[in-house]
Amino acid sequence: MKPTRTQVGIVGAGPAGLVLSHLLHREGIESIVLESKSRQYCEERIRAGVLEWGTVDLLNQMGVGERMKREGLVHYGIELRFAGRGHRIDFKDLTGRAITVYGQHEVIKDLIQARLADQGQIVFEAEDVRVQAFDTPRPKIQYALSGNVQEIHCDFIAGCDGFHGVCRPSIPSGILTAYERIYPFGWLGILAEAAPSSEELIYAYHERGFALHSMRSPKITRLYLQCGPEEDLANWPDAKIWSELQRRLAGGKEWKLNEGPILQKGVTGMRSFVVEPMQYGRMFLAGDAAHIVPPTGAKGLNLAVADVRVLARGLKEFYFSGSTALLDRYSEICLRRVWRVQRFSWWMTSLLHRHEGNPFDDRRQLAELDYLTSSRAASQSLAENYVGLPLD
Ligand SMILES: Cc1cc2nc3c(=O)[nH]c(=O)nc-3n(C[C@H](O)[C@H](O)[C@H](O)COP(=O)(O)OP(=O)(O)OC[C@H]3O[C@@H](n4cnc5c(N)ncnc54)[C@H](O)[C@@H]3O)c2cc1C
């Protein structure tokens, strides 16, 4: 077996791995992306959908934003709904910015197409990926393709393989410190063939639990209900899901929640998780491989993109000047944003979900929502975090 040589070996073809590969290519730096799933699986995996303005800007600058500009839905606000009434948070007025609703799988399709059009190498269905020798100047990645063992020799490894990937667990014990919070609830999410019932996202705080009205296109609605962390979907026939959504999202006589065939449903547990540092030797962790946020603040994908933007700058500096100054500070630079985003995601989650057992919390949360929607300073703080803090 003759090893293949590249400059940066990237594990994972999610948003982090593909954006990194594309950014490096634009600087003339070679990479190979190894992905355990098939191209079709990656392109159909339904996940995030809210893009911060900085993510949108970056995708446009990278030349992969054409379809997003045509098909993405630009939103200048969100609605907070509680005590049966809606309150709009006006992003344009409060920050001058907007968010774009464009499915993560669409971003993935655009990125894969762009990489392949540029003769970029993505190895799909790579089995048994192993990262090796990343504490030396000559890291290696071993994998199997249709049963044949292959090896890549590279200068650096980017661990962009998500929370359940192999890169983080390959770092020797004692190096990383993990910080974690697991929430006592989850989200039951559905994708429905129904026109969105509102032009903007609705975050509802209700005595029966949190609900979210979101969308993927003018014909497809994405809806979520707070549920148990390991809720059994068998207990949730379609009619029950709709009836619960109707109750939690109720918003006055004029508002109606559109229903339609449910195309997909699933339960997601909620956790906050960070490892420090995000690098060891010549391996750098990016995106969900290094941190997870609960989805309430819509930050996971955006944070993954912010990480690799820093990593690409560091690698560019190394290849152009031989300096590792930026690479050495990769964790420090990323973690500052990671923790600010963790704080925001935790705060949105705590504010909007029902916490079992203490009526004090219910009154306190309603008071906080009242303050948030009546104080410009408080609304502005929410808006500036939601549209996305400036990229470092
Ligand atoms: C069900 C679900 C719903 C979500 N909803 C939202 C949302 O509404 N809003 C939001 O902001 N975020 C959401 N997220 C989070 C968001 O999708 C992630 O933060 C984002 O995908 C992170 O990108 P990433 O590239 O770091 O990781 P990933 O997207 O997880 O990509 C990692 C890639 O590595 C591959 N891989 C894993 N192990 C290996 C291996 N051993 N070898 C090779 N390849 C491997 C995986 O197949 C995957 O393609 C959701 C996540 C999930 C799971």
Side-chain angles (χ1 to χ4, degrees):
M1 173 200 53
K2 190 169 172 289
T4 311
R5 157 95 204 140
T6 192
Q7 288 172 297
V8 183
I10 300 175
V11 186
L18 292 169
V19 169
L20 177 63
S21 176
H22 201 80
L23 286 173
L24 294 177
H25 167 72
R26 287 169 64 84
E27 299 298 344
I29 301 166
E30 273 178 26
S31 67
I32 298 178
V33 180
L34 293 176
E35 165 60 49
S36 55
K37 304 285 188 202
S38 68
R39 177 176 179 181
Q40 185 182 357
Y41 183 95
C42 293
E43 292 186 341
E44 289 177 359
R45 187 166 40 191
I46 303 290
R47 285 186 165 181
V50 172
L51 306 183
E52 294 177 353
W53 66 270
T55 305
V56 170
D57 243 21
L58 184 70
L59 294 173
N60 282 329
Q61 279 168 32
M62 286 163 55
V64 292
E66 272 316 303
R67 202 162 63 91
M68 175 181 68
K69 272 193 242 167
R70 281 199 313 276
E71 297 176 18
L73 309 170
V74 178
H75 287 189
Y76 292 97
I78 53 167
E79 183 180 321
L80 295 179
R81 197 170 275 190
F82 58 96
R85 284 191 50 213
H87 307 258
R88 184 162 187 265
I89 303 289
D90 186 333
F91 295 157
K92 195 168 187 182
D93 172 44
L94 294 163
T95 68
R97 309 251 187 226
I99 51 146
T100 297
V101 175
Y102 187 64
Q104 176 168 330
H105 62 294
E106 305 293 356
V107 175
I108 295 290
K109 277 185 214 163
D110 297 342
L111 286 164
I112 290 177
Q113 194 183 37
R115 284 311 296 121
L116 298 180
D118 289 336
Q119 275 75 52
Q121 281 196 70
I122 309 174
V123 180
F124 290 102
E125 301 181 67
E127 299 151 26
D128 198 16
V129 174
R130 293 166 196 225
V131 287
Q132 297 165 341
F134 46 84
D135 53 349
T136 76
R138 287 178 201 77
K140 288 188 265 188
I141 312 180
Q142 220 181 58
Y143 65 101
L145 200 58
S146 310
N148 298 317
V149 176
Q150 316 274 331
E151 202 167 84
I152 295 176
H153 289 189
C154 48
D155 303 325
F156 298 97
I157 296 176
C160 302
D161 50 348
F163 185 68
H164 300 288
V166 289
C167 293
R168 191 182 66 248
S170 303
I171 294 177
S173 62
I175 303 291
L176 303 179
T177 304
Y179 299 87
E180 185 166 35
R181 173 184 286 267
I182 296 180
Y183 297 85
F185 39 75
W187 278 12
L188 192 165
I190 63 163
L191 198 66
E193 200 178 330
S197 311
S198 152
E199 281 184 13
E200 295 176 343
L201 275 76
I202 303 170
Y203 286 81
Y205 175 74
H206 190 273
E207 60 187 12
R208 297 177 66 84
F210 167 75
L212 172 61
H213 167 278
S214 174
M215 63 290 292
R216 287 294 177 268
S217 74
K219 290 183 183 155
I220 302 287
T221 313
R222 182 93 165 126
L223 296 139
Y224 297 96
L225 288 169
Q226 178 182 349
C227 63
E230 283 167 26
E231 193 81 33
D232 185 356
L233 275 177
N235 297 329
W236 287 88
D238 294 3
K240 183 174 165 187
I241 294 177
W242 285 117
S243 125
E244 197 58 32
L245 284 165
Q246 293 283 6
R247 289 172 87 161
R248 296 191 196 179
L249 285 164
K253 284 204 182 79
E254 312 84 64
W255 195 79
K256 188 175 136 283
L257 176 64
N258 298 330
E259 297 187 11
I262 295 181
L263 306 173
Q264 220 186 72
K265 51 179 146 171
V267 171
T268 313
M270 306 256 260
R271 74 168 80 218
S272 302
F273 176 84
V274 183
V275 287
E276 293 187 7
M278 290 167 54
Q279 64 199 90
Y280 177 65
R282 287 196 163 214
M283 183 157 77
F284 297 84
L285 303 176
D288 280 15
H291 40 72
I292 295 281
V293 283
T296 327
K299 294 293 174 213
L301 180 160
N302 296 294
L303 204 48
V305 169
D307 285 349
V308 294
R309 190 168 167 275
V310 176
L311 184 53
R313 273 187 6 229
L315 291 166
K316 177 183 168 190
E317 184 183 78
F318 173 82
Y319 283 111
F320 282 73
S321 72
S323 164
T324 61
L326 246 180
L327 284 178
D328 293 342
R329 292 184 54 232
Y330 169 73
S331 285
E332 179 199 327
I333 296 170
C334 290
L335 283 167
R336 183 162 178 244
R337 185 183 190 86
V338 167
W339 278 111
R340 286 187 297 174
V341 169
Q342 287 287 355
R343 180 207 69 80
F344 177 69
S345 303
W346 164 84
W347 173 76
M348 282 279 279
T349 304
S350 312
L351 174 71
L352 290 163
H353 289 74
R354 283 288 289 191
H355 303 281
E356 287 293 310
N358 193 343
F360 178 88
D361 282 333
D362 175 44
R363 290 291 186 271
R364 179 187 54 73
Q365 284 167 267
L366 284 169
E368 187 159 3
L369 284 161
D370 182 20
Y371 170 61
L372 192 57
T373 50
S374 55
S375 151
R376 183 173 174 89
S379 302
Q380 200 161 28
S381 167
L382 164 62
E384 97 176 338
N385 280 280
Y386 198 94
V387 300
L389 299 169
L391 290 166
D392 290 296

